[in-house]
Amino acid sequence: MILPGLMCDGRMFADTVAAFDAQVIDGFYDGADGIGAMADFVLARLPDRCALLGHSMGGRIALELWRRAPERIDRIAIANSGIHPVRPGEAEARHALLDLGRREGVAALVDRWLPPMVGPEAEPGTAVYASLHAMAVDAGLDIFAAQIRALLGRPDAAAVLPTLTCPVAIIGAEHDGWSPPAQQRAIAAAIPNAQLAMIPTAGHMASAENPPIFNRVLADWLARPSDLPSRG
């Protein structure tokens, strides 16, 4: 099951869905404005047991699902995400984007928000960028507002990491300035037996920017046995 991040839906994971016959939680979490409410939305749609892939904000939702219902999760992959609390200036930056969208429309918001998110092969003018831009515009201002409320009110996820006893993959990207490689290495170091991978040429939207390598990492993660020993 794939859990998209901020302003994202299944379009960002088209190659992954095709490769693994995966399902995506679409619909932008039905407008939920809290990580807990998003987790509840997912739980109502989750099979009895499954693998979770959470991207960015979706990674935080995946950790919240593990906190609430670990018996329903076989393994977790977290891509381009973070576990840190709200940082100084974060709320102001997010609200500035929302204010821009309210003044000039959602397309103007996406024009400001999206370019720093992508690597050199998905810059404006590419087909990948156009698809991601259309996806985020379709999310709309109300979804952006709800999801930044969720992110600014996010629970502390750091305490969940050492409790993860299932196979875990932490996936970063070479050009991700929002969730940089050093952040991904620190997350992986806090999780017993975590598998760490960096996607070359990609930025924050790695699953859409370099799907062949992203999917190869997922295949390795899915092939790992479920009964992993604890790290000493």
Side-chain angles (χ1 to χ4, degrees), residues 19-213:
F20 299 101
D21 193 26
Q23 294 181 302
V24 183
I25 296 293
D26 261 329
F28 304 106
Y29 303 99
D30 199 33
D33 65 355
I35 297 297
M38 292 172 176
D40 286 340
F41 181 83
V42 175
L43 274 173
R45 292 154 179 81
L46 211 61
D48 290 341
R49 191 165 175 85
C50 70
L52 289 181
L53 164 61
H55 168 254
S56 193
M57 180 184 72
R60 293 181 179 272
I61 299 167
L63 293 173
E64 184 63 21
L65 288 166
W66 177 267
R67 194 201 308 263
R68 295 178 180 214
E71 72 282 357
R72 297 179 66 179
I73 300 169
D74 180 70
R75 60 194 64 225
I76 293 176
I78 298 174
N80 309 97
S81 192
I83 51 88
H84 53 276
V86 175
R87 289 170 169 160
E90 180 181 340
E92 292 81 359
R94 292 189 186 277
H95 284 128
L97 278 171
L98 181 58
D99 290 343
L100 171 65
R102 286 172 172 160
R103 289 194 314 269
E104 301 183 24
V106 67
L109 184 162
V110 177
D111 287 342
R112 179 79 57 84
W113 171 77
L114 183 58
M117 292 281 181
V118 296
E121 296 186 8
E123 292 178 341
T126 64
V128 173
Y129 183 89
S131 175
L132 293 172
H133 190 280
M135 173 188 70
V137 168
D138 286 349
L141 285 177
D142 289 344
I143 291 298
F144 183 78
Q147 292 188 348
I148 64 167
R149 284 195 297 273
L151 286 167
L152 293 176
R154 62 192 182 243
D156 181 9
V160 180
L161 300 185
T163 73
L164 293 169
T165 54
C166 64
V168 177
I170 302 299
I171 307 171
E174 194 174 53
H175 297 282
D176 189 349
W178 188 256
S179 301
Q183 180 171 297
Q184 308 310 304
R185 288 192 288 269
I187 294 171
I191 301 171
N193 297 293
Q195 166 191 349
L196 174 65
M198 290 293 160
I199 309 300
T201 75
H204 194 69
M205 307 300 197
S207 65
E209 295 178 62
N210 194 336
I213 294 182

